[in-house]
Amino acid sequence: MIPVNAPKGDFRFRIIGGGLQLRLNSVQDLANILLLDEALWAVTSVDIDAMRFDKRFLEFVDSDHDGKIRSDEVKKAVKFALDYFSDLSALTQGKAELSPDAINPDAQGAPEAIACAKLILKNLKRDPGSGVTVKDILDARSITSFTQRNGDGVISCENGLSPEIAELINAIIASGRKSLDRSGSDGVDLKNVEEFQAALTRKNALREEAKTNRSIMVYGEETAAVFALFSECEPLIDSYFLNSDAGIFLAADPQRPVKKEASADLMVTENVRTVLENAVVAIPDSEGVLDFSSPLNPLHADKLLELANSCALKKYLSGKVLKKADYIQAKNAFAPFAKWKSEMEVADGLEKFTEDEVRKLKNAPFDELKALIASDLSFAPVISAGETLLKMAYFQEFLMEFLNNFVSLTDLFNTERFSRLQMGKLVMDGRHFTLVVRVTNPAEHKRIIKSSNICVIYVEITRTGEDKKAVKELLAAAVTSGTMRSLFIGKHGVFFDSGGVIYDAVIKDIVEQPVSIGEAFKAPFFQFADFLGKQTEKIFNTRNAEMQKSLSTELNKAAVPTTPAAKSAPAPAAGNNMPMLLMGGGIGMAALGSSIAFIAKSLQNVSFTTVLAVLAGIVVIFGGPSVINALVKIFRRNLSRFLESCGCAVNRPMRMSRKMGSIFTFTPVRPKGEINLTDLIDEFKLQGETPKKCRKTVLVIFIIVLVGAGGYRTWQYFRNRKTADVQIQKVEKKSNEVKKTSDNIKQPADGQKKPEAETKQGDK
């Protein structure tokens, strides 16, 4: 839908960043945000990581929790503030302390939020007319201290309970059943209590059953001990009867002879023990009975005889013989006790308690503890309102500042404090760089930055915290004034975040762009100087190589003999080569002198203004296009594009003017005070060194002589040039006169003799 008429309201705009933006410093301005079209906002969306706010506050604004705050979510936040605050003056001022009286009681859930705020003030023992802060609300003890009711349904022992209830809570926690209270203490909830009570009831019921059911304690008090012995021997006896039955079965089949494969060397103890461990308790009987009077396996004989003499097996023996059927009856007699014992041994957390303790806990005040838990849960609505109260406290402190970094970018140009889009300040090269943003994707960030025409240095900051863990982060700092010549990759500096914490900083990458108009005009001269330096170095290196090669050739010729007779002559001494060396040096000096003479001779016919014009032309050729290109880029610097590189959706372009650039990159003003112009080096000069005044005098005299000589030579050059010009003009004038006179003389006819006067004049 296209709006036809502008919305009605008391809108106030001002020029910010070169364009009109909404002013936000009053309640009416806050209400106008809901009426103003998003296209007239400074920013319409921003990544959470790009803003330097409390993470919890940004999560409250980011209602869909996708990590990006858009204009619709900002409008929801503004509407929430208008609905829940009865007094918006504290919000527009950004006060950290939220008073219960500033909350609108008619808003949904507001009464509970007011009650929660008053509870916190009561627990903190503050004046009811004061306010609570974000820190107060986040501190759980401010809500839960001095009260058993904190709405979480967990009761701990730190709430001044009766000794009986405290003892019961400790017993439940000792059984492994516990929950964490909002105050941070261990406590119990309704589920913990009910589980503990059920385990306690079941355990006591089993003990009562053992007392009344005689089939369980079949042998009275000896039942447990006899059952333990029987359980230990049971696998051995079962194995014996199995082997006996197998022997009877195999003996009936003549095709299945029984083989003895195991044998033991009686002289080796380990072999004997191995065989006995794998052997049955006795030699299998052909009738399938176990005779305790027969030889028994030495490893198990004592236990078997003890069991045979016990009440659990004695009545089932025929003398010393145990039949398989009688053994099965003895085993079945322990079945009820075995089942009861397995139920008693179920892990229920009561293993640490004695029988007397379990019996005593049966009468613990469970009903009173459950009532306390129900009372605590009834207070949950007031405590749960703490989240709403926390949101209001955050909004009162930060919402207006957030809007001045979103709907309007007023804070970005505030020189008294950092904007929430700025990470801090970089101190490097004697300057402050304050337009610093966080970089999460360097490649994408660099791609966008190149189109902004703003010079950017990528700085890696590092710091080792108190926990000995290194913190490393990549930032992008805009260079908006001054020069770039002293900034290079690897240059070090320091970075101060908004809280004053200092980090080491080093330049990792640079996106070079023109920085200032002055640098743009100086750039051609620097480029020309670099060009001349490279060419001079190239020529010098070439000439030096040629001279060394020529000198080496001459030396080789002098050192190597050219006649056969010289082969038998002794080698010349090293000192005899000195003339050749001097000759080579003389040749080089002669070549250098001839070059200088050639240059001087060439410059004689060139005027000084021509030389300057040529130099100026070279500078223009070299730097003209670059100056024009630099000026165009400086004029087209786009601050909006810089902000977009860190995740901001900026509505309109903001040109980076010279004044704006001086805000983000500047040299701090030196404070007033005494200034000593004496160089500190002079105070620590070496003994015997020439005094500074004498050196200055010598230097001044030398400069005067040099300038005088140069001036004299220049004056002499122009004077000689002028005299030569006059002489040339006289000669040309006389030549013209002679030519004119000769033209006026008539030529004689053919064969006629010239007049004598003319002949003499011609001879002359």
Side-chain angles (χ1 to χ4, degrees):
M1 180 178 179
I2 302 176
V4 179
N5 300 319
K8 296 181 180 180
D10 187 15
F11 292 93
R12 297 185 302 164
F13 297 90
R14 68 171 301 171
I15 296 178
I16 301 174
L20 291 176
Q21 296 185 23
L22 184 67
R23 292 184 61 180
L24 295 173
N25 53 15
S26 68
V27 177
Q28 183 61 41
D29 297 335
L30 194 65
N32 287 337
I33 294 176
L34 302 177
L35 303 176
L36 187 65
D37 192 288
E38 288 88 341
L40 300 177
W41 292 18
V43 179
T44 53
S45 71
V46 66
D47 290 341
I48 285 181
D49 294 335
M51 303 198 82
R52 190 178 39 81
F53 276 103
D54 188 290
K55 192 76 172 180
R56 195 75 181 274
F57 165 73
L58 294 175
E59 289 174 354
F60 278 127
V61 181
D62 181 21
S63 56
D64 60 0
H65 305 292
D66 64 346
K68 202 172 188 68
I69 298 176
R70 290 176 290 274
S71 57
D72 60 324
E73 294 172 321
V74 175
K75 284 189 173 183
K76 289 179 183 179
V78 173
K79 192 175 185 306
F80 175 88
L82 295 175
D83 292 341
Y84 276 81
F85 283 92
S86 59
D87 181 12
L88 290 168
S89 59
L91 185 143
T92 56
Q93 298 172 13
K95 289 186 177 180
E97 196 173 82
L98 173 62
S99 173
D101 297 334
I103 303 175
N104 180 16
D106 298 330
Q108 183 179 2
E112 291 80 4
I114 295 173
C116 182
K118 292 182 177 180
L119 175 63
I120 294 174
L121 292 174
K122 177 183 177 182
N123 292 339
L124 297 177
K125 297 181 180 181
R126 292 184 185 169
D127 184 4
S130 61
V132 295
T133 63
V134 168
K135 184 179 179 181
D136 297 333
I137 302 171
L138 290 176
D139 185 5
R141 292 183 178 273
S142 65
I143 301 178
T144 61
S145 296
F146 312 111
T147 177
Q148 298 175 3
R149 299 180 298 172
N150 54 29
D152 61 354
V154 179
I155 304 298
S156 64
C157 293
E158 295 185 2
N159 295 320
L161 302 173
S162 63
E164 294 79 8
I165 294 179
E167 183 180 357
L168 176 58
I169 293 175
N170 288 329
I172 296 174
I173 294 175
S175 70
R177 300 172 176 87
K178 64 180 180 178
S179 300
L180 191 64
D181 188 74
R182 281 181 178 172
S183 63
S185 304
D186 289 336
V188 295
D189 58 8
L190 184 61
K191 182 181 179 181
N192 301 144
V193 176
E194 290 179 345
E195 287 181 355
F196 182 78
Q197 189 177 17
L200 201 64
T201 301
R202 187 179 62 82
K203 188 76 74 175
N204 284 319
L206 287 173
R207 285 199 170 94
E208 290 297 327
E209 183 183 6
K211 292 179 180 180
T212 57
N213 190 351
R214 297 183 60 86
S215 64
I216 296 175
M217 295 295 179
V218 62
Y219 299 113
E221 295 181 356
E222 297 181 4
T223 302
V226 174
F227 178 78
L229 180 61
F230 187 88
S231 298
E232 189 176 357
C233 295
E234 183 178 2
L236 301 175
I237 299 175
D238 287 342
S239 178
Y240 171 79
F241 281 115
L242 177 63
N243 284 13
S244 297
D245 293 343
I248 296 172
F249 171 73
L250 295 175
D253 187 358
Q255 301 299 325
R256 295 176 179 272
V258 179
K259 297 181 180 180
K260 292 184 179 180
E261 298 181 353
S263 61
D265 187 352
L266 298 180
M267 299 303 295
V268 182
T269 305
E270 293 181 358
N271 293 343
V272 173
R273 181 173 291 276
T274 301
V275 171
L276 291 177
E277 286 177 351
N278 296 323
V280 292
V281 295
I283 298 174
D285 186 77
S286 59
E287 298 181 359
V289 297
L290 176 59
D291 188 357
F292 286 96
S293 61
S294 64
L296 300 176
N297 190 324
L299 292 180
H300 312 296
D302 294 339
K303 290 186 292 185
L304 292 171
L305 293 175
E306 184 181 358
L307 179 62
N309 294 324
S310 67
C311 58
L313 203 62
K314 192 172 184 179
K315 67 178 183 178
Y316 294 100
L317 294 177
S318 298
K320 293 291 184 179
V321 177
L322 177 64
K323 297 180 180 180
K324 185 177 180 180
D326 295 333
Y327 169 69
I328 293 175
Q329 289 183 7
K331 187 190 276 190
N332 292 336
F334 279 114
F337 179 81
K339 181 181 178 182
W340 176 86
K341 187 175 185 299
S342 64
E343 292 179 354
M344 285 291 292
E345 291 177 350
V346 171
D348 54 7
L350 300 179
E351 297 82 6
K352 300 178 181 180
F353 298 93
T354 63
E355 184 177 351
D356 292 338
E357 290 174 340
V358 172
R359 189 181 300 108
K360 182 180 178 182
L361 286 171
K362 180 181 179 181
N363 300 321
F366 284 96
D367 293 338
E368 295 181 23
L369 182 56
K370 291 179 181 179
L372 285 175
I373 293 174
S375 175
D376 183 82
L377 289 172
S378 66
F379 202 65
V382 175
I383 302 302
S384 61
E387 190 75 4
T388 303
L389 186 67
L390 179 63
K391 184 176 180 179
M392 295 183 67
Y394 267 122
F395 277 23
Q396 177 176 285
E397 185 174 0
F398 298 120
L399 183 60
M400 203 67 179
E401 186 178 0
F402 172 82
L403 297 174
N404 276 303
N405 286 273
F406 194 98
V407 179
S408 174
L409 291 178
T410 305
D411 279 4
L412 186 61
F413 306 100
N414 189 345
T415 57
E416 296 180 358
R417 65 179 182 182
F418 289 116
S419 164
R420 293 292 180 167
L421 294 170
Q422 297 168 274
M423 296 297 111
K425 69 177 179 180
L426 174 67
V427 179
M428 183 182 289
D429 191 36
R431 291 179 284 176
H432 287 189
F433 304 89
T434 60
L435 188 55
V436 183
V437 296
R438 183 182 289 112
V439 178
T440 55
N441 188 344
E444 180 67 14
H445 189 277
K446 192 172 183 178
R447 183 184 66 81
I448 299 175
I449 278 296
K450 288 181 179 179
S451 62
S452 70
N453 293 319
I454 296 177
C455 181
V456 173
I457 55 176
Y458 290 92
V459 181
E460 184 181 79
I461 61 171
T462 55
R463 178 176 180 270
T464 303
E466 296 179 355
D467 56 354
K468 304 302 180 182
K469 291 183 178 180
V471 179
K472 183 182 293 186
E473 194 171 5
L474 185 65
L475 304 177
V479 184
T480 57
S481 66
T483 179
M484 271 292 297
R485 290 191 64 83
S486 54
L487 297 177
F488 54 88
I489 295 177
K491 187 175 180 63
H492 289 262
V494 292
F495 176 78
F496 297 86
D497 66 7
S498 58
V501 179
I502 189 169
Y503 296 78
D504 293 321
V506 60
I507 298 178
K508 291 296 184 180
D509 197 3
I510 298 177
V511 177
E512 293 193 15
Q513 299 282 8
V515 175
S516 62
I517 297 176
E519 185 185 42
F521 279 104
K522 294 176 184 178
F525 296 97
F526 288 119
Q527 294 176 3
F528 183 63
D530 294 339
F531 171 76
L532 287 181
K534 291 179 181 178
Q535 294 301 319
T536 303
E537 183 178 0
K538 182 178 179 180
I539 294 172
F540 174 78
N541 291 336
T542 303
R543 296 298 183 188
N544 188 29
E546 292 177 355
M547 187 179 71
Q548 289 181 2
K549 184 178 179 181
S550 175
L551 183 59
S552 176
T553 303
E554 294 296 333
L555 291 175
N556 290 334
K557 289 181 179 180
V560 178
T562 57
T563 60
K567 293 181 180 179
S568 59
N576 296 336
N577 290 333
M578 187 59 65
M580 302 303 298
L581 293 174
L582 294 176
M583 182 181 70
I587 293 172
M589 294 299 296
L592 182 61
S594 62
S595 299
I596 296 174
F598 173 76
I599 295 173
K601 184 177 180 181
S602 300
L603 291 177
Q604 283 183 355
N605 299 324
V606 181
S607 64
F608 186 70
T609 55
T610 304
V611 174
L612 294 179
V614 171
L615 293 177
I618 294 174
V619 171
V620 170
I621 292 172
F622 268 90
S626 63
V627 170
I628 295 174
N629 183 49
L631 293 177
V632 171
K633 284 190 173 184
I634 290 173
F635 182 79
R636 296 177 60 185
R637 288 189 300 180
N638 192 343
L639 178 60
S640 299
R641 197 66 57 83
F642 180 86
L643 297 177
E644 286 174 347
S645 65
C646 59
C648 296
V650 185
N651 260 327
R652 56 190 307 166
M654 291 185 290
R655 190 177 71 84
M656 177 75 73
S657 63
R658 184 183 61 83
K659 291 182 179 180
M660 190 186 299
S662 63
I663 294 176
F664 299 125
T665 303
F666 60 91
T667 301
V669 180
R670 183 182 293 106
K672 295 181 179 180
E674 181 182 354
I675 299 177
N676 189 350
L677 297 179
T678 303
D679 196 333
L680 184 62
I681 298 176
D682 295 333
E683 299 182 8
F684 299 98
K685 58 190 175 182
L686 298 176
Q687 186 177 2
E689 186 181 0
T690 305
K692 183 177 180 181
K693 291 183 178 180
C694 181
R695 295 201 307 270
K696 281 187 175 181
T697 303
V698 173
L699 181 61
V700 170
I701 293 173
F702 176 75
I703 293 174
I704 292 174
V705 171
L706 186 62
V707 172
Y712 173 75
R713 293 297 299 171
T714 304
W715 172 81
Q716 190 178 34
Y717 167 77
F718 283 108
R719 188 193 67 176
N720 295 337
R721 181 65 181 270
K722 185 176 181 180
T723 303
D725 291 342
V726 172
Q727 293 295 334
I728 292 171
Q729 289 177 3
K730 288 182 178 180
V731 171
E732 289 178 353
K733 184 177 180 181
K734 188 173 182 180
S735 175
N736 291 335
E737 290 177 354
V738 171
K739 184 177 181 181
K740 186 175 180 181
T741 303
S742 62
D743 291 341
N744 291 334
I745 298 174
K746 294 181 180 181
Q747 297 293 334
D750 295 339
Q752 187 178 2
K753 190 177 181 179
K754 294 181 182 180
E756 186 177 353
E758 291 181 3
T759 302
K760 292 182 179 180
Q761 185 177 359
D763 294 338
K764 291 181 180 180

